[in-house]
Structure formats: structure tokens, C-alpha cells
Amino acid sequence: MIKGAIFDIDGVILDSMEMWNDLGKRYLSSIGIEAEKGLNDILFSMSMEEGARYLSEHYHVEKSSVEIVEDIKNMLENFYVNEVHEKDGAKELLAFIKKQGIRIVAATSSDSVQVEKALRRNCLYEYFEKIFTTSEIGKSKHSSDIYDEATVIFIFYKKKHWFLKILFMH
């Protein structure tokens, strides 16, 4: 019997991957600079701070990497608070899972306040017992730590029981 489900938010529950995939390009465009082809591939594995440093140095942006990070965070906040929509079928899936008595949490790399606002605006917040973020855990989703922490809320151990981890990719 499945007792809990851990959902990723970006690209699974919220239709936000396009923003993340084009974030560097969108930022540069907002300050009148055309991005090189393949910028997303270059920035993909970088932290936001590393990416900001790359943009500052490579494109000679007349802002510090700290200022660039702040600008990007403001862009993201506006996107999550005002624009992002739920993925098709997300609400129905969450409602079905909850109706089965399965507890639901989220594991995300995104900012918890922004995610909460987006989920509330899209009437999805009520389905989640808790939102775990990589910044709270201190490690990326490549580490199992965020999922280990999330299983604690289900009051069972993953070594004794299966749990459902849903990460849809396109």
C-alpha cells in the first residue's frame, strides 16, 4: 500500500520549465543583450550564483553577480506569483491521490515562498502537507537527502516500505 507521494514541483505540478530553461536568455534580453545559442546548456549545471558570475563576465554586464542574482530572483518571483499555471491534469491527479488517503509532499529546488504563492493561486496548495526545498536541506536534488527528509513526514522508513516519487520529465 502506498502511504505517501513526493512530487517535484517544476515541470510536474507547475508548468514552469520553459522559464527555467530560458532564464539566462530572458535576463539578458531584459537588459538589452542577445544571448548566444546554447546558453541554457552552459548554465544548466551551474548554481544561480555561478550562472550570474558567468553572465557578468561573459556578457560584460555592468552589474555584480550579486545584483544579477537579485534581478533574476525578482524575475522568478514575478513569474511564480503572477504567471505560472498548473500542468495539465495536475489538480486531478493530486485530488485522486489524496482521495485514496495517500499523503502528499513536495520536493523542490525553487524558493518555498514563491512555490507556495503559485500553488495557492492555482488552487493546488491544499493538497500538500509540506514543501521541502533544497535550500532548507542544504543539498541539491541529486542527493537523496531531500527525499529522505520528506519520507519522515510519512512516519515510515523507505527501507521497509515503498514510496512513490513522481518526477515527470518532458
Side-chain angles (χ1 to χ4, degrees), residues 9-166:
I9 294 295
D10 293 302
V12 177
I13 300 300
L14 297 176
D15 197 7
S16 54
M17 291 312 294
E18 186 176 328
M19 174 61 147
W20 283 103
N21 289 338
D22 289 339
L23 192 55
K25 181 180 175 181
R26 287 177 189 230
Y27 173 72
L28 291 171
S29 179
S30 76
I31 58 171
I33 298 173
E34 186 175 337
E36 66 194 290
K37 188 175 176 109
L39 179 62
N40 179 50
D41 295 332
I42 294 167
L43 297 177
F44 180 76
S45 64
M46 296 182 189
S47 69
M48 193 174 296
E49 291 76 14
E50 291 169 331
R53 200 167 27 261
Y54 176 84
L55 294 176
S56 177
E57 293 170 4
H58 187 77
Y59 290 94
H60 308 289
V61 176
E62 294 183 12
K63 290 185 175 190
S64 70
S65 58
V66 172
E67 291 171 309
I68 293 171
V69 166
E70 195 58 37
D71 289 348
I72 290 172
K73 284 182 178 180
N74 289 336
M75 287 175 63
L76 286 168
E77 181 174 9
N78 180 61
F79 175 73
Y80 277 94
V81 172
N82 300 308
E83 297 177 39
V84 71
H85 296 287
E86 69 181 83
K87 290 280 285 187
D88 289 341
K91 188 179 290 182
E92 294 80 6
L93 178 61
L94 292 170
F96 175 80
I97 290 172
K98 190 151 187 127
K99 188 174 181 180
Q100 305 309 307
I102 299 170
R103 299 169 73 186
I104 304 170
V105 299
T108 183
S109 297
S110 295
D111 179 83
S112 62
V113 173
Q114 294 171 5
V115 165
E116 181 179 335
K117 287 178 180 180
L119 292 173
R120 287 188 187 279
R121 187 174 46 74
N122 285 281
C123 301
L124 299 172
Y125 185 76
E126 66 191 65
Y127 295 105
F128 294 91
E129 288 187 39
K130 182 160 175 52
I131 299 168
F132 293 88
T133 67
T134 54
S135 61
E136 293 169 340
I137 304 300
K139 291 190 179 173
S140 78
K141 288 190 295 185
H142 297 292
S143 161
S144 68
D145 289 8
I146 192 166
Y147 307 109
D148 293 341
E149 188 70 26
T151 60
V152 171
I153 201 168
F154 300 137
I155 312 173
F156 67 94
Y157 299 98
K158 70 178 185 171
K159 292 179 183 172
K160 294 183 180 179
H161 298 281
W162 290 91
F163 66 94
L164 179 63
K165 176 178 131 183
I166 301 177

